[in-house]
Amino acid sequence: MLKDFDPNSGTNWLVVQAGTNDLAQGATASVLYTGVQKLVQDGHAQGFKVAVATVLPRSDAVFAWSSADESARLAYNDTVRANSAGADAIADIAASPIMGSAAAPANAALYLDGLHPTASAVQAYLEPIYAAVFSSSASSVPASQPSEAPAPVSSTHSDTTPAAGNAPAEVTTPAPAHTSDPGITPAAGSTSGTDVGSGNNTLVVHVSGDHYQGDPQLQIYVDGKAVGGTQTVTAVHGLNQWQDIALKGDFSPNSPHAVEVRFLNDAYDGSGQFSEGHDRNLYVSSVSLDGHSFGTSEADPAVLLQNGGVTIATTAATVAPDNTSPPDTSAAAGTGGTAPAVSATTIGAGENQLVLQISQDAYNGDAQYTISVDGHQIGGVQTAHAAHAAGQSDTLTVKGDFGPGDHAVSVSFLNDFYGGSASTDRNLYVDGASYDGMTVAHSSLSLPNTGSQQFTVPGAGTGTGTGTGSGTSGAATAAAAPSAPTVALTHDTGTGGTHATSDGLVTYAPSVSGDTLHYKLDNGAVTTTTPVLATDGSADGQHTVTVYETDAAGHTSADASLVFSLDTHHDSSGFHMA
């Protein structure tokens, strides 16, 4: 790291900047400065000029900065200024009348989180101090005089970088870019008080962020086309701040649109996952088109922990423009509309009958699917109608001459659609099945994504309907069956009720010790081997694991399922994987 410089130029600097984390973790001023002395010696030995910086104040409740910590910071700064290490210059940023003020960390225009300076504050107040330090390279006197702090910048000219070397003038603190009052939506970034683009319609995206070494940035796409340029999010999610990014364009509210919000610049420092000042994340609550709102609430936003996007779908407007509620297209019971009709459909022909109970979460239309038995599709594309949330099920009767032996039944979900929240998500469910009048165990499926899942109909003619070969009726088996096992993430790193894991470990526990567990991962086959997910990033994403147990007599339990996300980007201790 120290070799990329010209030893003959006289302009190569090594800057030593300690931080408050060292002091907060128990280091004393003298211990911290001992390490600084070693760095100064090593830098000089390799031809560097060395500048040592003082430490700025810190005031944040999240990381519990105490009065003892503050005393240690002041003592360390005094030691730095004494310069017993023999540094070539002291970058006394703590002497800045603005950034070094005890009240400065509470000003969101200066500090992102009470700890990290904003980019604009660095440019306006700190960079000129360092510039003055580097310009002192011809002098052996440390550049430590407070007069080298920049002249303060007024709130009306905060984008102007003052010249170095000016004596401090009357302090005019910039107006805060954020407000700490919960519920207030601050204007921020390039969208502050203005619309981006031009057109007859207005699309507003409601966002917030966690900040680390800069603000989250995003790009918005409507129906696959980028709208406007890169947008910056300055609202602080930890302070319950949200901001609106307004875009103008020709987005007819009479047609549905797919609005994608794409996170561009994820970053993380390896500690304090989801914490302001340590992790850069993006939160997307909702979008509105000409006053019609879609998505979810601020309390249940889509959270983007990595670069990528979330899509929120708008529906065709069927109400007056001044009505801010979207039209109800879900047809779900309990939403104020009439419960959807439950359908009964028969497909195929033959002596055997497979009867499926089907339901859905409808959003922007109904779920569609196909049915295959032993690899052969029967009938055409089917449409679900019954509302899963209302406990309803369609009845689909599949007829055929399937013959003896086990049969593999595959259900293929064709048109998944996700609008950014649990209430705007199209899903398909198989609530159960029977074959020639007998219940088929473990035939319940949950299909949250486009794709296929399977279950097995046990050998025809056994009369069991359970897959155990015991000759017991399905009802009797159910009566004697053990309870369902429990399934949970071993390390749940999710927040706000979400399920996320970085290591993919799932804990399974049978209801009766000694029972055999049977596992199914996503669309895979049922096995008695515990599923294992790759942690090299190739398996990142949402997964569904289903497990049931059998006792020594062959009785089977109900299924237990867990839907979770594997995110190897953040490990269970908060470490950010490259």
Side-chain angles (χ1 to χ4, degrees):
M1 180 179 73
L2 300 179
K3 66 181 181 180
D4 296 327
F5 75 107
D6 179 2
N8 300 314
S9 70
T11 59
N12 297 286
W13 282 87
L14 174 66
V15 178
V16 180
Q17 173 72 69
T20 53
N21 282 343
D22 302 289
L23 299 171
Q25 292 170 6
T28 64
S30 60
V31 167
L32 190 57
Y33 195 70
T34 298
V36 170
Q37 289 175 310
K38 180 66 165 59
L39 289 172
V40 172
Q41 293 169 5
D42 290 347
H44 283 161
Q46 299 187 54
F48 280 91
K49 286 185 175 295
V50 182
V52 179
T54 52
V55 176
L56 292 170
R58 166 175 173 166
S59 176
D60 69 274
V62 176
F63 304 107
W65 184 248
S66 68
S67 58
D69 294 332
E70 178 63 11
S71 295
R73 182 186 75 88
L74 296 174
Y76 173 77
N77 285 346
D78 288 342
T79 305
V80 169
R81 293 172 183 130
N83 196 27
S84 63
D88 299 281
I90 304 302
D92 201 352
I93 57 177
S96 164
I98 293 179
M99 298 302 292
S101 166
N107 187 334
L110 302 176
Y111 285 80
L112 288 170
D113 51 4
L115 174 59
H116 299 90
T118 63
S120 58
V122 169
Q123 182 183 31
Y125 303 114
L126 301 185
E127 287 183 0
I129 296 178
Y130 285 110
V133 167
F134 300 148
S135 68
S136 70
S137 60
S139 171
S140 61
V141 179
S144 58
Q145 302 304 315
S147 62
E148 292 177 348
V153 179
S154 72
S155 60
T156 58
H157 298 87
S158 59
D159 58 344
T160 302
T161 303
N166 295 331
E170 181 180 351
V171 176
T172 305
T173 303
H178 314 304
T179 173
S180 59
D181 295 333
I184 295 178
T185 302
S190 63
T191 61
S192 177
T194 61
D195 294 333
V196 175
S198 60
N200 296 319
N201 308 104
T202 301
L203 179 74
V204 179
V205 181
H206 199 55
V207 293
S208 186
D210 297 326
H211 304 75
Y212 165 63
Q213 290 188 347
D215 299 324
Q217 293 184 323
L218 60 92
Q219 174 68 62
I220 298 171
Y221 296 80
V222 178
D223 299 330
K225 298 181 179 179
V227 179
T230 300
Q231 308 298 324
T232 299
V233 179
T234 57
V236 179
H237 186 256
L239 297 178
N240 197 29
Q241 296 173 354
W242 291 83
Q243 74 187 74
D244 289 329
I245 296 176
L247 304 170
K248 285 288 191 180
D250 293 320
F251 322 119
S252 172
N254 297 320
S255 300
H257 299 284
V259 180
E260 181 187 5
V261 181
R262 192 174 299 176
F263 184 26
L264 303 177
N265 63 333
D266 178 42
Y268 185 52
D269 72 354
S271 66
Q273 185 180 357
F274 309 109
S275 297
E276 183 70 13
H278 294 270
D279 197 3
R280 188 187 302 151
N281 303 308
L282 179 65
Y283 300 81
V284 183
S285 166
S286 61
V287 301
S288 64
L289 178 57
D290 290 350
H292 302 270
S293 182
F294 305 89
T296 184
S297 67
E298 293 178 355
D300 184 28
V303 183
L304 296 174
L305 304 178
Q306 304 177 41
N307 291 339
V310 59
T311 298
I312 298 178
T314 72
T315 58
T318 58
V319 293
D322 60 351
N323 189 328
T324 58
S325 299
D328 180 12
T329 61
S330 66
T335 60
T338 303
V342 175
S343 66
T345 306
T346 300
I347 58 176
E351 294 297 321
N352 302 113
Q353 287 194 134
L354 171 68
V355 180
L356 305 176
Q357 302 299 314
I358 304 289
S359 63
Q360 67 162 340
D361 297 326
Y363 173 63
N364 252 4
D366 295 320
Q368 295 184 318
Y369 61 98
T370 60
I371 301 295
S372 297
V373 178
D374 297 331
H376 301 286
Q377 181 175 322
I378 299 177
V381 174
Q382 309 300 317
T383 300
H385 301 284
H388 184 73
Q392 302 172 333
S393 297
D394 298 330
T395 300
L396 178 68
T397 301
V398 183
K399 290 187 173 183
D401 294 318
F402 302 123
D406 293 349
H407 300 290
V409 178
S410 178
V411 180
S412 298
F413 182 24
L414 304 178
N415 63 335
D416 178 40
F417 199 158
Y418 181 60
S421 70
S423 62
T424 57
D425 192 8
R426 184 190 301 152
N427 302 306
L428 180 70
Y429 303 89
V430 178
D431 301 318
S434 65
Y435 185 76
D436 287 345
M438 306 304 296
T439 299
V440 179
H442 314 300
S443 55
S444 297
L445 303 175
S446 176
L447 292 91
N449 303 302
T450 297
S452 301
Q453 292 193 34
Q454 298 79 34
F455 64 88
T456 300
V457 174
T462 63
T464 67
T466 66
T468 65
S470 64
T472 306
S473 70
T477 297
S483 300
T486 58
V487 54
L489 290 179
T490 306
H491 303 112
D492 192 335
T493 59
T495 60
T498 61
H499 298 294
T501 175
S502 62
D503 53 26
L505 297 178
V506 178
T507 298
Y508 306 93
S511 63
V512 178
S513 178
D515 282 0
T516 301
L517 295 181
H518 304 260
Y519 311 92
K520 180 179 180 180
L521 177 64
D522 297 329
N523 299 328
V526 176
T527 176
T528 55
T529 302
T530 305
V532 177
L533 289 168
T535 56
D536 59 0
S538 61
D540 280 11
Q542 189 177 78
H543 297 280
T544 301
V545 64
T546 303
V547 59
Y548 65 92
E549 66 182 87
T550 57
D551 62 17
H555 301 135
T556 62
S557 73
D559 292 335
S561 296
L562 173 68
V563 179
F564 64 95
S565 294
L566 177 64
D567 178 13
T568 55
H569 197 54
H570 297 81
D571 74 9
S572 58
S573 65
F575 183 74
H576 185 275
M577 305 298 291

